[in-house]
Amino acid sequence: MDFKGKIAIITGGAQGIGRCIAEEFQKAGATVCVIDKQQGDHYVGDLADKQVLEDFAEDVIKKHGNVDFLINNALPQMKGIDECSYEDFQYAMSVGVTAPFYLTKLFAPYFNKGAAIVNISSSRDRMSMPQTESYTAAKGGIAALTHALAVSLAGKVRVNSISPGWIDTAYTVYEGPDAIQQPVGRVGNPLDIANMVLYLSSEKAGFITGENICIDGGMTHQMIYHGDNGWTLTSKVTTRRLSTYGLR
């Protein structure tokens, strides 16, 4: 896909999936604007801060004039009901839901024709582990925000979301239960997500908007019953023997 002359904004683009997305856009010719609270050669700021969002948007428009793609990827913190304070929960929602909404609002007048927004949700928008309330609520929120924005921005910007499952950002190759518990037979990696982001941003996806695409190797479609196919239930958490789960 050729994105020469296009401007792509990626939140949380300093590492992991976000960095991979940024690199793939750059390979395709796009100019990439990254915001992340991690220090580096990008715009540094906390997405939970309203002023930071406004300053970042102003900086992008001042430098480039318009925007083609907004990728809301930044990760909210994960804390459960036992440890998550009111402030912790509010912070997770600010990063995971409010920032994507407000950045969309700030950039709305500047989106070029054919523009696209891709929000990164999670398979946790439909399934949970214990003690993940702040993260799960934020990911569920951005999945719902996606179809609301798609309707509000109809005819101007296409808006879709992706729900990753287990994505190993170190590209570790797993064997045994960790691999075979995924119906596709392996754990995912950042390119699995980046490839879909670029597709949804391209004209090839011109008839797709308001959708949430789950990229999880088929895990959320697999029926799990105690005692079947090596699955057992222990300590109120369904696990596979000798298996660990990645988080996204």
Side-chain angles (χ1 to χ4, degrees):
M1 286 171 275
D2 185 0
F3 292 124
K4 290 179 181 177
K6 303 293 186 180
I7 307 299
I9 298 167
I10 298 148
T11 70
Q15 59 185 337
I17 292 174
R19 181 174 179 176
C20 182
I21 294 170
E23 290 172 347
E24 292 304 302
F25 266 118
Q26 289 171 334
K27 290 177 185 177
T31 297
V32 175
C33 303
V34 168
I35 180 171
D36 199 298
K37 67 179 182 180
Q38 177 177 303
Q39 295 295 318
D41 187 20
H42 51 260
Y43 196 99
V44 177
D46 189 337
L47 288 163
D49 187 326
K50 179 173 180 275
Q51 191 63 55
V52 167
L53 299 176
E54 292 174 348
D55 291 346
F56 172 65
E58 182 180 1
D59 183 69
V60 170
I61 298 307
K62 184 180 294 185
K63 290 178 179 176
H64 305 290
N66 297 100
V67 175
D68 295 285
F69 312 120
L70 171 59
I71 315 302
N72 291 303
N73 165 78
L75 285 172
Q77 64 183 350
M78 182 184 291
K79 287 192 174 183
I81 194 166
D82 290 351
E83 296 182 356
C84 187
S85 67
Y86 179 90
E87 290 75 18
D88 290 334
F89 194 86
Q90 287 293 99
Y91 184 83
M93 296 300 287
S94 293
V95 172
V97 182
T98 306
F101 166 78
Y102 197 45
L103 285 177
T104 300
K105 184 178 180 68
L106 291 170
F107 287 121
Y110 304 100
F111 280 114
N112 287 320
K113 182 179 180 180
I117 296 170
V118 181
N119 297 320
I120 306 300
S121 180
S122 168
S123 59
R124 291 167 188 268
D125 63 4
R126 67 205 68 188
M127 59 193 297
S128 294
M129 292 174 67
Q131 304 302 321
T132 62
E133 279 75 14
S134 66
Y135 184 93
T136 300
K139 290 304 186 180
I142 199 171
L145 178 65
T146 294
H147 56 74
L149 288 175
V151 174
S152 294
L153 299 177
K156 299 178 182 178
V157 184
R158 292 183 301 101
V159 187
N160 293 288
S161 61
I162 295 172
S163 290
W166 182 355
I167 303 297
D168 191 299
T169 57
Y171 295 85
T172 305
V173 177
Y174 292 82
E175 297 180 353
D178 288 328
I180 63 174
Q181 70 184 356
Q182 325 282 331
V184 298
R186 69 174 176 87
V187 171
N189 64 64
L191 272 173
D192 292 316
I193 308 306
N195 288 336
M196 181 57 74
V197 170
L198 266 66
Y199 171 74
L200 290 174
S201 300
S202 75
E203 294 180 358
K204 293 182 179 181
F207 200 55
I208 304 174
T209 194
E211 287 299 315
N212 178 285
I213 300 173
C214 187
I215 302 178
D216 69 342
M219 279 294 293
T220 55
H221 294 295
Q222 183 167 230
M223 298 295 290
I224 299 174
Y225 292 100
H226 173 69
D228 284 355
N229 302 312
W231 294 90
T232 59
L233 181 67
T234 59
S235 301
K236 299 183 179 180
V237 181
T238 303
T239 60
R240 190 162 190 159
R241 295 188 184 100
L242 304 179
S243 175
T244 58
Y245 285 82
L247 304 178
R248 178 60 181 156

